[in-house]
Amino acid sequence: MTTDGEPNRADLGKDPRRVSGMFDQVARGYDRTNTVLSLGNDRMWRAATTRAVSPRPGERILDLAAGTGASSVSLAKSGADVVAADFSPGMIAEGERRYGRTAPGGGIRNLFFVQADATELPFADAEFDAVTMSFGLRNVNEPKKALRELWRVTKPGGRVVICEFSQPPSGAFNRLYRFYNDRVLPTVAKAVSSNAEAYDYLNESIRDWPDQQTLSTWIREAGWTDVAYRNLSMGIVALHRGRKPRDDRR
């Protein structure tokens, strides 16, 4: 455990460097595999996250744990300047290949890729109008520290949106969901992924992740206000939102 009571990934037998390496290995087929394993729900989750962020032209937005940039592209279509950040160099390289300056057609001009550690972001205080993180917080060794870093780089009055796997509130549905994750997902992952081990890790990280109320508490403790969430796909995923007070003295 870390000093503030967070589960340390090392406690779960997962070295952060090893996790990064696994994501590097699956970067090329990552988005396709996610669509298959989520039964197409990933597109709906991405659209819901973009609507919750409400990006506007002229804003500067940080999309942390952006992977290959699929969510970042959705945000950039608004005209906002979007920084796609991820700790996996393989994911960033794949995003650059698809959407960066050297991509066919010159890429997306208002989309920028940066390799970054969520617990030590390479950005100035109050740099972004909005920050968002989809399906990445549970992969961070110290998720509470990451939430504080997101708070630090957000302008007073700015907003945060966290989209993350969660715990379905219905006991019956939760059992069905666990059956899918434990029995079906590994088999499908072996068929469609170049590294099934990465999706074994995915299953473990989802199972060990706290429920909606706990994550909401963590977000408030990091300094965010107006914290709320809503369930997507019957609680498989929860979309959390908050705002940084305009008077940000803590």
Side-chain angles (χ1 to χ4, degrees):
M1 298 290 287
T2 60
T3 56
D4 58 359
E6 297 178 11
N8 189 303
R9 190 61 54 198
D11 293 343
L12 304 177
K14 301 296 183 181
D15 185 326
R17 289 172 296 182
R18 182 185 175 204
V19 173
S20 176
M22 287 191 295
F23 279 110
D24 289 346
Q25 293 174 32
V26 302
R28 184 63 64 94
Y30 183 73
D31 295 325
R32 173 181 58 83
T33 303
N34 281 349
T35 297
V36 172
L37 295 179
S38 70
L39 306 179
N41 278 282
D42 62 319
R43 297 189 178 102
M44 181 270 286
W45 299 334
R46 187 179 308 124
T49 301
T50 299
R51 288 193 299 270
V53 175
S54 300
R56 295 183 283 272
E59 288 191 324
R60 185 166 170 81
I61 297 174
L62 172 63
D63 185 16
L64 187 57
T68 62
S71 57
S72 308
V73 170
S74 180
L75 293 165
K77 288 179 180 178
S78 68
D81 287 335
V82 179
V83 176
D86 199 281
F87 79 145
S88 164
M91 289 289 189
I92 291 296
E94 181 63 18
E96 287 275 14
R97 186 186 70 82
R98 296 181 188 181
Y99 311 115
R101 300 300 183 271
T102 60
I108 300 173
R109 307 304 296 179
N110 57 323
L111 178 58
F112 311 89
F113 288 88
V114 175
Q115 187 178 346
D117 182 340
T119 62
E120 295 182 27
L121 293 175
F123 307 112
D125 294 354
E127 185 170 336
F128 296 96
D129 297 282
V131 294
T132 183
M133 192 172 189
S134 295
F135 306 109
L137 188 61
R138 73 186 190 287
N139 295 321
V140 179
N141 247 356
E142 298 176 272
K144 291 183 179 181
K145 186 175 181 180
L147 290 170
R148 293 192 294 269
E149 273 291 273
L150 286 172
W151 187 94
R152 179 184 66 79
V153 302
T154 303
K155 296 177 181 178
R159 52 208 188 274
V160 63
V161 175
I162 305 289
C163 186
E164 188 53 270
F165 287 110
S166 200
Q167 305 293 336
S170 165
F173 182 73
N174 195 26
R175 288 190 291 274
L176 178 62
Y177 174 52
R178 293 302 170 202
F179 176 83
Y180 174 80
N181 274 2
D182 293 340
R183 302 293 182 86
V184 180
L185 186 146
T187 301
V188 177
K190 289 177 182 177
V192 301
S193 173
S194 59
N195 185 354
E197 181 187 12
Y199 291 92
D200 288 339
Y201 164 76
L202 170 70
N203 191 13
E204 290 177 22
S205 67
I206 293 171
R207 185 176 60 243
D208 295 328
W209 190 245
D211 62 15
Q212 295 88 322
Q213 291 80 10
T214 300
L215 180 53
S216 292
T217 298
W218 290 1
I219 295 171
R220 290 189 189 93
E221 289 174 348
W224 302 95
T225 59
D226 302 325
V227 175
Y229 73 87
R230 69 183 180 95
N231 289 327
L232 304 176
S233 302
M234 299 181 68
I236 290 175
V237 165
L239 194 60
H240 294 258
R241 291 173 291 176
R243 188 170 294 274
K244 183 173 181 176
R246 293 193 180 277
D247 180 3
D248 65 355
R249 289 173 294 178
R250 297 179 61 188

